[in-house]
Amino acid sequence: MRSKKLLALVLGAALIASTAFVGCGEKKNTDSKSGDDKKAEAKMDKEQYLNLVITEPKSLDPSRSNDKYSSLVLADVMEGLTRIEQDKDGKDVIKPGGAEKWEHNEDSTVWTFHLRDYKWSDGKPVTAQQFEYGIKRTLDPKTGSTYAFLLSPIKNADEYNKGKASGDSIGVKALDDKTLQITLKQPCTYFLDLTYFKVMQPQRKDIIEKSGDKYGSEANTMVFCGPFKISSWTHNSEIVLEKNDTYWEKDVVKLQKVNLKIIGDKSAQYNSLANGSIDSVAVSKPEWIKKFDATGKFNVLKGYDPSTNYTFVNTKDKLFSNVNVRKAFSLAITREDLANVIFHGTMEPAYGWAPPSLQLNGKDFRELAGEEPLKKLKEENPDPKEVLKKGLKELGMDPDPSKVTVNYLCSGTEQWDRTYAEYLQQMFKKSLGIKIKAEYVKWPVFQKRTDEMKYQVAGMAWAGDYNDPNTFFDMWMTGANAVPIGWSNKKYDDVVKKAMSTVDPEKRLDLYKEAEKILLYDDCAIMPTVYRKRSTYRYKYVKNLMSPLFGNMEFKYAYTEGRGK
């Protein structure tokens, strides 16, 4: 699904990387326990908790949250129709959640979900009507959800979101308290993947109306139906999750508490890992890697992550309204140096948008797509400065690059952010001859500024929410506004719509290749920098902590064994 996951450039790396899994296994039958189960439980630590790192979420309102950090919390405190987990081989699998079973008609356009008996943390039952309300609230234009476009496959979802149809016309209907029917406008290969994402979680109308605009901004404005509930939220410090004793499968939940600590500084994260005050974090600095390796206390988790760092610009800004200016900025990015120097070899240069590990019909999209568009752009334009001069002339501006000053909005205020910005200043000065002025703001402020298009240039990361190329392309369609850049291209919209509506993998491949070319080569609407990889150090006493490539960290089955030894 296209849960577009927004990530800060650095802390996103820390969070994503820290979500790889160790020793994840299949669910146990909770009705009876075997002798092996009892022995395993006997070895578990008496106190069951995890300490992890997160970035302050902007909002925990499922309809309004638009970053990875809120998605992580919501995935563990809410129970949608399904859950995404990992099997014994580490592969992503969709498992029953709030829906114990489902079926669809012959052409997969009508899906019927049958809910199990389960409750909210205040004891009230979860109903199909609450799922219907939640989906329609996300689509309601008054809500202003930046992720409403994810629900596009549903019949009349787009029309309602654009104010051209009534809410009653949407293909979502509670047939009774335990039966939800969803009708799609056409077959959709990735629809089931949407069912575990936050935009399809149940929502309580009574709670939302009582809390008003404060809903999702404090722990006491919410109720929960997942394995955990939020017991406290100290802004910019810590979010504490506690086991939810009203959860339908509470017996499989071993952790009593998950402390999500908000630590922005990388050195502080590493020191916290070293002294045992956090249990897992991404590590990129060579000196720390050497130090942690020497202890023998960690499992080291590596591999591709389905996410891409990128620079984006406000195309409504006069300077960046010109395609040649945008191309010059993309050409000026020294991707190899970024990957090897700034990220210490833990990332890979990105000359395309969709990252490695993302699949189309079970095969790696990057391998199927062939050459990345930005490599061709680079071969055709060896001198970025000349491309910039051409763009400045087309705008009627002074073609002297030294007279150009660009404001770069940074998604953090820590030392790493300053180091990164200083590198960008040097990079653009050397490649283009321009000046970069950096502005450092906290992540929630960064999101607000970019949502309101009060920026000139900025950078962050995007992580896919489901294993299909569409999770990287529909976000740039006109009106989606997942990341407002002011760019619109009808041809691009038409190509992505065709890709979404066909089930033929060869046709879809050709269409997504064309979309990527328009996005990066023809219009240069965004500027990918590096593909992200997981590089996580996790204490060996952490067991069964799942993190699907296209989901969020799964605390439900996690536990610790041997902490402090």
Side-chain angles (χ1 to χ4, degrees), residues 37-312:
D37 289 336
K38 292 178 180 179
K39 289 179 181 178
E41 287 192 13
K43 294 180 180 179
M44 288 168 42
D45 296 328
K46 184 177 181 180
E47 291 186 72
Q48 286 294 316
Y49 65 92
L50 285 177
N51 295 322
L52 301 168
V53 176
I54 194 175
T55 292
E56 172 79 10
K58 179 182 177 182
S59 171
L60 291 178
D61 179 341
S63 290
R64 289 183 169 138
S65 74
N66 63 350
D67 59 54
K68 171 71 178 180
Y69 320 110
S70 58
S71 294
L72 182 148
V73 176
L74 288 168
D76 282 286
V77 301
M78 297 294 187
E79 186 84 327
L81 294 169
T82 62
R83 299 187 73 85
I84 184 166
E85 300 177 2
Q86 289 177 307
D87 63 17
K88 60 183 179 181
D89 298 316
K91 295 181 179 179
D92 288 11
V93 290
I94 296 176
K95 294 290 188 72
E100 57 185 355
K101 62 181 179 178
W102 56 85
E103 68 267 359
H104 56 75
N105 64 351
E106 188 173 353
D107 68 355
S108 300
T109 56
V110 179
W111 293 70
T112 305
F113 296 88
H114 303 277
L115 304 188
R116 67 179 74 252
D117 291 327
Y118 72 115
K119 299 178 180 179
W120 294 91
S121 51
D122 64 358
K124 293 187 178 181
V126 179
T127 67
Q129 289 86 353
Q130 292 160 355
F131 278 94
E132 178 181 352
Y133 170 75
I135 293 171
K136 290 184 175 180
R137 178 172 175 264
T138 298
L139 289 169
D140 189 336
K142 294 179 182 178
T143 302
S145 173
T146 57
Y147 286 141
F149 67 91
L150 295 180
L151 299 169
S152 179
I154 298 175
K155 181 181 177 182
N156 281 334
D158 291 338
E159 289 79 1
Y160 175 61
N161 186 242
K162 294 175 182 177
K164 297 179 180 179
S166 67
D168 293 337
S169 70
I170 301 173
V172 181
K173 184 177 182 181
L175 302 183
D176 55 46
D177 287 352
K178 295 298 179 183
T179 311
L180 181 72
Q181 186 178 85
I182 299 179
T183 302
L184 309 183
K185 57 188 175 186
Q186 60 208 9
C188 177
T189 58
Y190 59 85
F191 172 69
L192 192 61
D193 294 87
L194 294 174
T195 57
Y196 58 75
F197 190 52
K198 58 191 173 186
V199 292
M200 291 187 69
Q201 290 174 345
Q203 297 185 31
R204 285 272 296 276
K205 184 178 180 180
D206 59 325
I207 297 295
I208 292 171
E209 290 183 344
K210 178 182 177 181
S211 301
D213 291 339
K214 293 184 178 180
Y215 177 69
S217 64
E218 302 288 346
N220 62 8
T221 65
M222 305 175 68
V223 289
F224 314 99
C225 58
F228 296 86
K229 58 184 179 181
I230 302 174
S231 61
S232 66
W233 182 359
T234 305
H235 292 286
N236 298 306
S237 178
E238 185 178 46
I239 297 175
V240 179
L241 309 185
E242 289 186 356
K243 181 177 177 178
N244 182 5
D245 288 331
T246 66
Y247 183 56
W248 68 272
E249 204 175 19
K250 64 180 180 180
D251 289 345
V252 307
V253 181
K254 307 304 180 188
L255 294 172
Q256 292 297 323
K257 186 178 291 187
V258 180
N259 303 304
L260 300 173
K261 299 175 181 292
I262 299 169
I263 306 174
D265 183 71
K266 296 291 284 185
S267 294
Q269 291 180 16
Y270 299 157
N271 279 309
S272 296
L273 184 66
N275 65 31
S277 59
I278 61 173
D279 300 317
S280 177
V281 79
V283 182
S284 59
K285 292 187 176 181
E287 63 271 25
W288 281 97
I289 289 174
K290 183 178 180 180
K291 180 178 180 179
F292 290 135
D293 284 343
T295 68
K297 295 181 179 180
F298 301 93
N299 285 310
V300 184
L301 314 171
K302 296 182 180 293
Y304 277 114
D305 191 271
S307 54
T308 305
N309 278 16
Y310 66 106
T311 295
F312 57 104

Side-chain angles (χ1 to χ4, degrees), residues 58 409 439 441-451:
K58 179 182 177 182
L409 185 66
E439 181 181 2
V441 297
K442 295 286 187 180
W443 175 246
V445 177
F446 177 88
Q447 283 193 281
K448 187 174 188 297
R449 289 274 299 275
T450 53
D451 284 348

Side-chain angles (χ1 to χ4, degrees), residues 51 57 60 154 156 160 217 254 301 393-394 406 465 489 492 508 531 542 545 553:
N51 295 322
L60 291 178
I154 298 175
N156 281 334
Y160 175 61
S217 64
K254 307 304 180 188
L301 314 171
K393 289 178 181 178
E394 291 171 348
V406 172
D465 294 300
N489 184 307
Y492 179 88
R508 296 188 80 224
Y531 299 129
V542 178
L545 180 56
M553 208 177 330

